[in-house]
């Protein structure tokens, strides 16, 4: 069910394979095989910004509204692309990403802080394996 998809998706440690298709769109490897699913046969005309999706064995996040054929499983209020910042993309190839499930209240609180430019995602430097 939906809860299992959210739980398995949030348990992943995703490697950003590349940024592409649009500025800030991360192609994320590390999806649990149990929730891998093919793209839609016919893409949607409009996918809202912040939508989290699955296509094949990858996950991704739409940084802006656009057409798209990924299967949507959630949404984030976090901006993945902001041309006012340097660099303008939140994540880059080689970074690792983790998703944290949020209640509607938590989502709205984060969205408010993002709108006020007060939200900063958790960024950690992970030491390289030797």
């Amino acid at each position: 069910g939906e809860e299992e998809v959210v739980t398995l998706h949030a348990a992943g440690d995703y490697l950003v394979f590349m940024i592409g298709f649009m500025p800030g769109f991360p192609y994320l490897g590390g999806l649990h095989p149990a929730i891998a699913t093919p793209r839609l046969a016919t893409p949607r005309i409009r996918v809202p910004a912040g939508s989290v999706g699955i296509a094949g064995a990858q996950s991704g996040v739409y940084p802006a509204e656009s057409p798209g054929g990924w299967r949507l499983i959630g949404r984030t209020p976090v901006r993945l692309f902001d041309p006012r910042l340097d660099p303008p993309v939140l994540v880059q190839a080689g970074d690792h990403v983790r998703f944290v499930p949020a209640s509607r209240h938590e989502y709205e609180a984060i969205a408010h802080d993002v709108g006020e430019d007060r939200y900063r995602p958790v960024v950690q430097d992970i030491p390289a394996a030797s």
Side-chain angles (χ1 to χ4, degrees):
E2 286 180 21
E3 199 168 303
E4 181 183 11
V5 170
V6 169
T7 299
L8 288 174
H9 190 265
D13 175 22
Y14 296 92
L15 173 62
V16 179
F17 286 155
M18 64 176 258
I19 303 297
F21 151 59
M22 71 171 58
F25 186 101
Y27 286 86
L28 304 171
L31 185 69
H32 192 288
I35 58 174
T37 186
R39 292 175 50 96
L40 297 173
T42 303
R44 293 175 182 84
I45 301 296
R46 288 186 2 197
V47 174
S51 293
V52 178
I54 293 172
Q58 294 181 62
S59 187
V61 183
Y62 289 81
E65 182 181 295
S66 74
W70 292 42
R71 306 225 182 216
L72 305 181
I73 61 165
R75 201 154 165 206
T76 179
V78 176
R79 283 191 197 116
L80 275 79
F81 178 76
D82 187 338
R84 302 171 302 161
L85 302 179
D86 183 21
V89 294
L90 179 61
V91 298
Q92 306 208 22
D95 288 350
H96 287 260
V97 173
R98 288 211 174 123
F99 292 88
V100 178
S103 68
R104 180 175 298 279
H105 176 75
E106 291 166 327
Y107 180 99
E108 290 171 357
I110 293 169
H112 178 266
D113 287 351
V114 167
E116 301 280 323
D117 286 329
R118 288 186 308 197
Y119 181 76
R120 297 294 172 257
V122 176
V123 177
Q124 296 175 315
D125 283 330
I126 300 170
S130 50

